[in-house]
Amino acid sequence: MKLSLHFFCVYFQQNFVRDAMDFSLSEEQVAVRDAAREFTQTQLLPGVIERDTHARFPTEEVKKMGELGFMGMMVSPSYGGGGMDTVSYVLAMEEISKMDASSSVIMSVNNSLVCWGLERYGNDAQKRKYLEKLASGEVLGAFCLSEPEAGSDATSQKTTAVDKGGFFLVNGTKNWITNGGSAEVYLVMAQTDPKLGHKGISAFIVEKGWEGFKIGKKEDKLGIRASDTHSLMFTDVKVPKENMIGNPGFGFKFAMETLNGGRIGIAAQALGIASGAFELSLAYSRERKTFGKPICEHQAIQFKLAEMATQIDAARLMVMKAAYLKDQEKDYADASARAKLYASEIAMKVTVEAVQVHGGYGYVKEYHVERLMRDAKITQIYEGTSEIQKIVISRGLIR
Ligand code: CAA
């Protein structure tokens, strides 16, 4: 696919070097963004408050997202995906997150953690068996790294996978797994050689329903309440040898590489939450009157809107830069950590301000901004907390 969103491209023309920045989107990218916007308004908005209130998984909505091609956007068409670039993916993520961050995290995990990891590092048989169904949205995937005692400290994996000849015997517990109950395909990190530390961790594909694989309790969450987050228990689960991704000991690297891209998706989600809250605040401030004029004519509100818009603009540039670098196959680990760190921090700030702009109305469900504020918080936590992003960024600086 042709990419026209060039942030830092250099043109060599007529014996001189000219730096050019082209912020325009291709027709295809605009079409993707508009389709996601339309889908959000017509399909996600109507039930979003009810799904949040009752923590009800958006089964029908996710099915439609699959039909529209949002569940495997970057996967090659030869494996049933959309063959799109990361820029298109973040545009869709932003639009969907403006109103429904629960649906967007379901989408993000399936696209960037499960499909991307499988396409990049799985073998052809694994892709034929699993990726095609995942990319078309026929089934959902989950990414299982976190454990009760291994969240930020992800190298401390306690789940084990013991080589028994034709299969591995997997034992352990995973925590806070997005799509935990709704997925059919699980990418599971487990220790195959504990004495090697993180170099002894391997990655496996596990199917729902295998003997000994139990889905634990669903978490009752502050935000993204319509997505399902579960603990998972593995007791002597037999995983066939052919379901190992890559070589033994590749699992931690697999997880880290996959998360580098995943963080772009979550940064786009945070950006969407912030821009959704901003758009609602701007519209409300034009309508709501106090002291004889719309509140957008009061400087107190104008300053808030100006700050929100500026922060969102900066976050969008960082998210797009990370997506662009990934599309160019350049190193994007640092850019994705920075984008996630900044976008999630401003998502929190912007949504708190959005509630303030709405006053009492902002505190009730009908106006959406209280939900966006609750949803924003998780973007500072999952796929690496803000503190972990700072570790990634500072290690890059020192190196
Ligand atoms: N990209 C590629 N490789 C990386 C990497 C990155 N971002 N970060 C670390 N690595 C590699 C290192 O190069 C090193 O490899 P070598 O041994 O070959 O040199 C190896 O991983 C171990 O790294 P460290 O020595 O730096 O290990 P550490 O324990 O000091 O720190 C960490 C690692 C960066 C803190 C890591 O544990 C981490 O990222 N933690 C956060 C985990 C996380 O993001 N969890 C999210 C769960 S998934 C989720 O939330 C999904 C969902 O459901 C929404």
Side-chain angles (χ1 to χ4, degrees):
M1 170 185 278
K2 184 180 159 289
L3 247 186
S4 69
L5 188 69
H6 293 168
F7 282 88
F8 300 104
C9 60
V10 179
Y11 293 108
F12 293 87
Q13 283 176 357
Q14 298 168 351
N15 299 324
F16 67 91
V17 179
R18 205 176 57 180
D19 289 330
M21 290 202 289
D22 179 359
F23 292 84
S24 58
L25 298 174
S26 70
E27 274 178 31
E28 237 168 335
Q29 289 162 344
V30 170
V32 169
R33 186 196 61 196
D34 292 350
R37 190 173 288 172
E38 154 114 17
F39 177 75
T40 304
Q41 287 303 312
T42 59
Q43 307 290 323
L44 295 177
L45 171 61
V48 70
I49 294 173
E50 189 268 334
R51 290 193 298 276
D52 170 74
T53 305
H54 301 292
R56 189 173 65 71
F57 188 84
T59 309
E60 282 310 307
E61 292 76 6
V62 169
K63 197 167 156 243
K64 284 182 194 153
M65 283 163 77
E67 286 160 9
L68 287 170
F70 288 125
M71 298 310 283
M73 292 182 70
M74 296 169 288
V75 175
S76 153
S78 57
Y79 290 112
M84 287 177 234
D85 55 25
T86 316
V87 169
S88 298
Y89 167 59
V90 300
L91 288 166
M93 275 296 297
E94 181 184 347
E95 288 305 321
I96 290 171
S97 306
K98 282 182 182 176
M99 189 45 70
D100 192 349
S102 292
S103 293
S104 72
V105 73
I106 297 163
M107 169 181 162
S108 171
V109 166
N110 202 68
N111 274 276
S112 19
L113 295 187
V114 180
C115 287
W116 188 88
L118 261 180
E119 183 164 31
R120 182 67 175 237
Y121 296 112
N123 60 37
D124 190 58
Q126 291 168 344
K127 291 183 205 176
R128 292 275 164 236
K129 187 165 179 194
Y130 296 108
L131 183 58
E132 289 179 5
K133 287 189 202 160
L134 287 159
S136 65
E138 193 185 324
V139 299
L140 271 182
F143 182 83
C144 312
L145 176 68
S146 301
E147 298 187 354
E149 291 170 63
S152 288
D153 184 9
T155 54
S156 298
Q157 299 280 300
K158 298 280 186 296
T159 299
T160 53
V162 178
D163 191 344
K164 294 285 183 185
F167 60 88
F168 285 87
L169 212 51
V170 175
N171 280 285
T173 302
K174 295 289 173 180
N175 261 26
W176 309 297
I177 304 303
T178 304
N179 299 343
S182 51
E184 300 285 335
V185 177
Y186 299 77
L187 305 189
V188 179
M189 271 37 83
Q191 283 280 5
T192 42
D193 194 347
K195 67 180 179 303
L196 294 180
H198 72 269
K199 289 189 194 298
I201 296 169
S202 304
F204 298 92
I205 308 167
V206 178
E207 293 180 31
K208 181 185 250 162
W210 281 357
E211 207 179 329
F213 176 19
K214 211 173 133 218
I215 295 164
K217 84 172 167 62
K218 181 176 170 183
E219 304 294 351
D220 188 5
K221 308 188 298 282
L222 172 74
I224 55 161
R225 287 178 53 75
S227 69
D228 67 321
T229 309
H230 289 258
S231 51
L232 306 173
M233 275 77 80
F234 302 87
T235 311
D236 288 341
V237 179
K238 282 184 182 173
V239 179
K241 275 214 145 147
E242 64 266 24
N243 275 31
M244 181 185 276
I245 302 172
N247 293 323
F250 179 62
F252 193 72
K253 206 75 179 165
F254 169 80
M256 290 296 110
E257 294 285 348
T258 305
L259 280 165
N260 288 336
R263 287 166 185 163
I264 302 177
I266 299 304
Q269 181 190 42
L271 168 65
I273 293 170
S275 43
F278 170 74
E279 286 172 15
L280 289 167
S281 303
L282 184 61
Y284 178 82
S285 74
R286 287 190 170 120
E287 279 167 23
R288 173 74 172 161
K289 287 191 176 135
T290 59
F291 306 103
K293 56 185 178 184
I295 62 170
C296 66
E297 289 179 25
H298 296 300
Q299 201 176 52
I301 300 297
Q302 289 170 346
F303 280 11
K304 285 191 194 304
L305 294 172
E307 276 175 25
M308 291 157 93
T310 307
Q311 288 164 346
I312 290 166
D313 205 17
R316 187 174 291 112
L317 287 171
M318 294 177 79
V319 172
M320 287 298 180
K321 179 184 169 187
Y324 171 77
L325 289 174
K326 181 163 175 284
D327 285 334
Q328 296 301 304
E329 296 182 8
K330 301 232 165 81
D331 188 353
Y332 56 90
D334 176 72
S336 80
R338 291 182 194 212
K340 181 182 181 290
L341 173 65
Y342 186 75
S344 62
E345 300 290 322
I346 69 107
M348 207 61 247
K349 284 187 188 147
V350 167
T351 52
V352 167
E353 284 296 62
V355 172
Q356 193 68 18
V357 169
H358 281 74
Y361 291 104
Y363 207 63
V364 297
K365 288 179 186 270
E366 198 186 330
Y367 284 77
H368 300 291
V369 286
E370 65 80 34
R371 185 186 69 257
L372 291 169
M373 182 180 77
R374 288 187 283 108
D375 289 347
K377 186 61 203 169
I378 193 63
T379 65
Q380 294 177 307
I381 298 173
Y382 57 22
E383 301 206 18
T385 60
S386 291
E387 292 73 17
I388 288 294
Q389 306 314 320
K390 289 177 193 174
I391 290 177
V392 174
I393 297 162
S394 59
R395 284 183 181 174
L397 293 173
I398 294 159
R399 226 184 5 250

